[in-house]
Structure formats: structure tokens, C-alpha cells
Amino acid sequence: MAQKPSIPKGTRDFSPTEVAKRNYIFSTIKQVFETFGFQPIETPSFENSDTLMGKYGEEGDRLIFKILNSGDYLNKVDESFLKDKDSLKVTSKISEKALRYDLTVPFARYVVQHQNEIEFPFKRYQMQPVWRADRPQKGRFREFYQCDADVVGSKGLWQEVEFVQLYDAVFNKLKLEGVTIKLNNRKILAGIAEIIGEKDKLIDFTVALDKLDKIGANGVIKEMQEKGISEKAIEKVQPLFSFNGTNLEKQDQLQEMLSNSEEGLQGVTDLRFVVNTIETLGLKSSKLTIDVTLARGLNYYTGAIYEVSAPEGVNMGSIGGGGRYDDLTGIFGLKDMSGVGISFGLDRIYLVLEELNLFNEVDLPKPKVLFVNFGEVEALYCMKALAELRKNNIKSELYPDSAKMKKQMNYANRRDIPFVVIVGTNEIANKKFTLKNMQTGEQQLCSLEELLKITIQH
RNA sequence: GUGGUUGUAGCUCAGCUGGUUAGAGCGCCGGAUUGUGGUUCCGGAGGUCGCCGGUUCGAACCCGGUCUUCCACCCCA
């Protein structure tokens, strides 16, 4: 055999079974999105580079897949850039398009571009693949799907409450118990940075804090020191390292800690509203907890920050995340348009459901009835019955060749088709069908009406 | 981008300190069995040992590079 073909690193093929399971997740999320009032949009898989570049930080730019220009692209590049091996400058000359890195930035672009056709507040959902030139590892791929729901044009906190409910509704539908929805607020983080006198190091400070459960308090202190955060400031942050208790206790502690920061207090008020409303209304199967170390995600979050972690015992990064971004469309020239949204990581949810064996209910689109093919006359007789079965939405097929019986039975057996219909000269003469149940091995002679009745019931 | 790890038949894997013709199980194809699958028995096909180069009389095995897998870091869904 010739050299086996392959697919690029971090991409995957999906078998019929896998597609069925993925579609089950897709349709569940989609259904919940729609019941919450969101409408779908789609955007191109690639955008102009300047739409994407610079929106995800330096690290993000590195991870964006760039698309080479067509034609003799090197011809137009300045000799000196090539000589200097200046990748950055050469890249911008030879590539003007790039693959979508997430769904939020293209959505912001969409809103700005279509602002006159959109009815605000605009609630849209979008389920499409995104690409990142990352190094693959567990639950991390270079091509994966995000399922996003966002609202733009409203600052209302009710929407933030609804997103928590939406997460809960989806996981409840998927029968995924024990998911933790973590909630934080960027204003609280900003307030803390202000209180400790490190306002300009907000990002470094939050990134380090975010690693608390992974590298522990000492690790966080070490990273903060490396980033040049003062000892005094680190001292003041100490209470956060052992921050626990109920959501209510956490709110009170934060309130006290941030009493001298207007912004911080606003964050506590917002957080309080969402958490208390959810506690009044209740959740079906997820838990909501305040997590002040939660800082991950994109730099553009300005208010609420969500992150969803898999149930305890499942080793998987976050399976969803989101937050509020007041200035998102600002980068494309539309001011004062607040947005808030969440995202589901389909591929990771898949892995979690697989690990917990929660795919039992997925109905594979495999045929229920196979007609054995004995030849032209018999096949024609079968085709007439097939039309009736299909009219009744019974997945059924005729074996395409008049092959040996053993081969046809074997095919039905391996594909786990529950019924086989055998039609030969006897059956045709009597206007009947021999219906064989492949599980029990029983078979009976029956009319078309009986055949329909049995297969519909099954 | 950094560090580690993996690659032998369709699949899961053996393969000795480097030594003839690289093996097993499962699967696949054919037959026993011309209208009856799953079980059994018999037979068969299938491999440039990821790729390129080097060392050697000789490389699946040693060395270098490269691609790929998985894992950790960075970052993230």
C-alpha cells in the first residue's frame, strides 16, 4: 500500500457514531439557546487579518492561522524585510486573511457592520468551528467548535442571571450533574488591584491569581514577585488565598475588603444581584460559586466573568466561559454598546460526557430494516415495500447487490440492523414477506401491513 | 513557543546485547454451508518497521534531523 494519508496535527475525523453524539450535544444547546430567545447567525470561517489581529493579545496573534495570499505574493514584499527575516512584517505583507480564532470578535464585527439592520438588544447564537495554531493536548485541538450566545445593547443584570440559568439548563438536559459555574466580576479584580496599589499591573496580578488552585499560594506569590508586584501588595492580597465560605460570606468579605474602592464595590453589588437572584430562583443540576481567582479569558471582559468547570473527578479544563464586555464593538468604531455572552466548548463537553458514559440515549441514524437482495424480480418487489416503510419514516434499505445470503446476513449483523426481510419466489407468490428478528433469531411470514406494524412498534 | 513522550499488518501489541525470510491475537477475504448472521473448523491476503539521512560487513533496534501521538508549561474551550 502506498504511504498512508493523514490529517493535520490537532484535527480529527469523526465516525458516524461520533457525529451522532456531537449532533446530540449541538441540538441540545441549540434548543436551549432558542428557548431563551436567541437567534442564529453565521460568519465566514476566515476574516480579514486586521479584524482579528491584535484582539487577543500577543499570545493570541501567534495562535491565529494566517492564510497565504494568492498569486506571486513574495514579489510584492520589500526586499529588506526578507533580508532581515522579519517574520512579523513579512507576514502582514503576504497574508491578508486569517481563520476565525473565536466567535466573539467576528460577532462584534458583524454587529458594527450590520448595526442599521439589527434590532437592539440583539440576542444571537452561533455554533461554528474556530481554529488555533496551538500545540494539541488533552481537550485541546487546533480545530474545535464553540457554541456562543451573546446579547449586545443591554447593560441589564437580568441577562447575566439568565446566562447562569442557560448553562444550568443545558447541562441538566445533557444529564451532566455536578458542573460548577464560577462567577466573578472584573470590577472586583480591578478594585483589589486598586486597594493594594497595583492598578497598572491588573493583568499580571489577575493572571497570577488565577493559578491559585493549580500552583498554590506560594506559587502565586512567586509569580507576583517575578512580575514586580510589591511585597506590601502581596501581603494585602493574602486573605484571597484562603478565601472560602458560602457565597454570602464571600460577598460580605469582599464588601469589607473593597470598602475604599468605588469600582470594587460596584462589582460586589453586581455580583450580589446575580448570585442572590440565582439563589432565590434555584438551579436544576449545577452549582454556582463565587470565585475571585477567576480571571481567565480575554482581556476585554469588563464586568461579569463566567467559567464552567467539569464535575469533580473529571480531569478537563473549563468546558465553557464568558463574560461582559463593555467596549467590544468600540474596537470597530461603535461606542456604548455593552455586550455579555457565554460559550460552550463542544469538544470538551463531548469528552466529559464520554468519560462519564452519558451518551446512552443517543439514537444512531442506522437502518432498522434490511431487505435481502435475491435478484431483479425480488428486488423490485422489495422496493415497493421499502417505499411504504420509508413513508412511515422507518430507516430501511435494500442490499445493493444480489450477493450470497451469508454475506448479506453478515452485513446486517455487523451493522447491528435489528430486522431482515427475506423475499424469494415463495413470498412473492403469496404476496408476503419473511421478517427475521436478528436479536431473537425468530422469523415469521407476514403481510405488508404486519411488517409495517411490527417495525413501527419496535 | 519551551520540555518530555510515542510511532511495527485494518486494530491492539510482541520482536533478545544490532545478525537469515519481522510475529501473535482480533478483524478482513474465501471454503466447509448455492434461501439464513452471531459459534466452530480449514485455508488465504495484507508490512518501504512514520519519513529522510548517518554509523556498521549487517539497522525495526544505535545516532542526527523531521513529521505525528499523548502529556506538562505558556495560554485557552
Side-chain angles (χ1 to χ4, degrees):
Chain A
M1 189 179 21
Q3 183 61 41
K4 258 183 261 174
S6 63
I7 54 175
K9 177 178 13 182
T11 65
R12 296 147 300 156
D13 285 328
F14 300 111
S15 67
T17 308
E18 289 166 327
V19 170
K21 292 174 181 176
R22 289 167 66 85
N23 282 343
Y24 158 72
I25 303 173
F26 274 127
S27 63
T28 302
I29 295 174
K30 178 180 168 166
Q31 199 183 339
V32 175
F33 278 167
E34 291 185 355
T35 58
F36 275 72
F38 292 86
Q39 289 185 298
I41 68 161
E42 293 191 10
T43 62
S45 48
F46 55 97
E47 295 268 350
N48 294 324
S49 295
D50 41 354
T51 301
L52 305 181
M53 296 299 285
K55 307 300 189 298
Y56 310 102
E58 207 177 309
E59 180 77 7
D61 282 357
R62 189 172 64 75
L63 298 177
I64 291 173
F65 273 108
K66 287 98 186 166
I67 297 173
L68 218 46
N69 290 347
S70 309
D72 187 7
Y73 47 82
L74 270 186
N75 200 20
K76 299 170 195 160
V77 181
D78 197 325
E79 287 283 344
S80 66
F81 294 161
L82 287 174
K83 225 177 243 157
D84 298 349
K85 303 207 169 168
D86 190 332
S87 299
L88 225 67
K89 283 195 174 129
V90 173
T91 301
S92 66
K93 293 289 175 198
I94 66 175
S95 161
E96 290 159 354
K97 299 172 291 297
L99 287 179
R100 183 167 57 214
Y101 177 88
D102 74 352
L103 300 178
T104 309
V105 168
F107 173 53
R109 192 224 82 223
Y110 177 97
V111 169
V112 175
Q113 205 175 321
H114 300 278
Q115 50 186 288
N116 295 324
E117 311 147 30
I118 292 172
E119 196 66 42
F120 292 99
F122 181 43
K123 297 174 69 173
R124 75 88 230 228
Y125 75 88
Q126 195 171 349
M127 307 198 293
Q128 289 189 278
V130 302
W131 295 269
R132 296 184 187 177
D134 212 347
R135 206 178 271 202
Q137 55 176 283
K138 186 172 187 185
R140 178 179 295 192
F141 309 98
R142 301 178 101 180
E143 176 182 63
F144 62 97
Y145 272 78
Q146 289 191 330
C147 308
D148 279 30
D150 291 80
V151 181
V152 280
S154 160
K155 292 191 172 167
L157 292 176
W158 289 108
Q159 194 55 61
E160 296 182 14
V161 172
E162 283 206 70
F163 277 129
V164 177
Q165 293 180 313
L166 200 162
Y167 267 135
D168 181 50
V170 167
F171 296 127
N172 185 250
K173 256 201 151 119
L174 293 174
K175 302 199 166 40
L176 181 57
E177 301 279 337
V179 163
T180 304
I181 303 164
K182 299 188 221 165
L183 188 64
N184 195 8
N185 196 295
R186 186 54 165 263
K187 292 171 188 162
I188 291 176
L189 292 169
I192 295 169
E194 185 187 338
I195 296 284
I196 64 171
E198 296 281 5
K199 212 170 173 177
D200 55 332
K201 292 214 171 66
L202 175 64
I203 300 286
D204 284 339
F205 163 75
T206 51
V207 167
L209 187 61
D210 187 69
K211 293 177 191 162
L212 182 63
D213 57 349
K214 207 167 179 178
I215 59 179
N218 290 335
V220 173
I221 291 169
K222 200 175 153 209
E223 179 158 338
M224 286 185 175
Q225 285 166 338
E226 281 165 7
K227 296 286 179 186
I229 291 167
S230 74
E231 291 297 330
K232 211 171 171 184
I234 293 172
E235 187 79 21
K236 281 190 185 167
V237 194
Q238 291 281 352
L240 294 182
F241 295 163
S242 51
F243 195 73
N244 44 36
T246 64
N247 283 337
L248 197 66
E249 286 162 359
K250 286 179 184 170
Q251 289 169 36
D252 292 342
Q253 287 175 61
L254 285 172
Q255 177 106 23
E256 196 180 321
M257 189 172 173
L258 293 167
S259 56
N260 289 320
S261 163
E262 196 186 325
E263 188 178 15
L265 286 176
Q266 183 60 51
V268 177
T269 305
D270 290 356
L271 188 72
R272 210 182 264 283
F273 178 81
V274 176
V275 171
N276 292 352
T277 307
I278 287 295
E279 269 171 19
T280 304
L281 297 171
L283 292 179
K284 283 176 241 158
S285 59
S286 309
K287 290 178 295 197
L288 177 70
T289 64
I290 294 173
D291 184 351
V292 285
T293 70
L294 179 59
R296 282 163 81 180
L298 306 169
N299 304 332
Y300 48 65
Y301 291 139
T302 53
I305 302 174
Y306 302 98
E307 182 169 302
V308 182
S309 50
E312 240 172 283
V314 183
N315 178 25
M316 181 66 59
S318 59
I319 57 176
R324 177 172 294 279
Y325 35 86
D326 282 331
D327 309 320
L328 190 73
T329 59
I331 53 180
F332 297 117
L334 182 62
K335 302 284 178 204
D336 294 322
M337 193 60 85
S338 186
V340 59
I342 57 169
S343 180
F344 290 84
L346 176 108
D347 304 81
R348 288 188 178 176
I349 291 172
Y350 181 100
L351 291 171
V352 171
L353 294 186
E354 191 70 87
E355 189 168 333
L356 297 174
N357 269 319
L358 293 174
F359 277 126
N360 323 331
E361 290 183 17
V362 177
D363 185 24
L364 292 178
K366 73 175 186 213
K368 196 187 264 189
V369 185
L370 174 79
F371 283 73
V372 170
N373 187 337
F374 280 147
E376 265 183 49
V377 178
E378 292 88 345
L380 186 65
Y381 180 90
C382 290
M383 288 298 268
K384 291 176 187 160
L386 269 167
E388 286 304 312
L389 288 179
R390 289 170 178 167
K391 211 187 274 177
N392 286 282
N393 286 321
I394 295 169
K395 301 182 188 86
S396 45
E397 64 182 23
L398 170 72
Y399 193 87
D401 306 298
S402 165
K404 279 184 190 165
M405 183 76 158
K406 179 183 169 115
K407 191 165 182 175
Q408 302 193 40
M409 292 299 285
N410 230 323
Y411 173 83
N413 191 50
R414 273 204 304 272
R415 289 188 70 197
D416 209 18
I417 296 173
F419 290 103
V420 167
V421 174
I422 299 158
V423 170
T425 41
N426 278 345
E427 284 85 355
I428 295 178
N430 298 313
K431 294 193 167 68
K432 298 273 189 186
F433 300 85
T434 294
L435 176 66
K436 173 160 181 154
N437 181 322
M438 292 296 278
Q439 271 128 49
T440 62
E442 289 164 10
Q443 60 186 59
Q444 58 181 300
L445 197 66
C446 60
S447 65
L448 180 60
E449 287 71 32
E450 289 165 321
L451 173 63
L452 275 169
K453 199 176 151 203
I454 293 168
T455 50
I456 288 170
Q457 267 174 0
H458 193 80

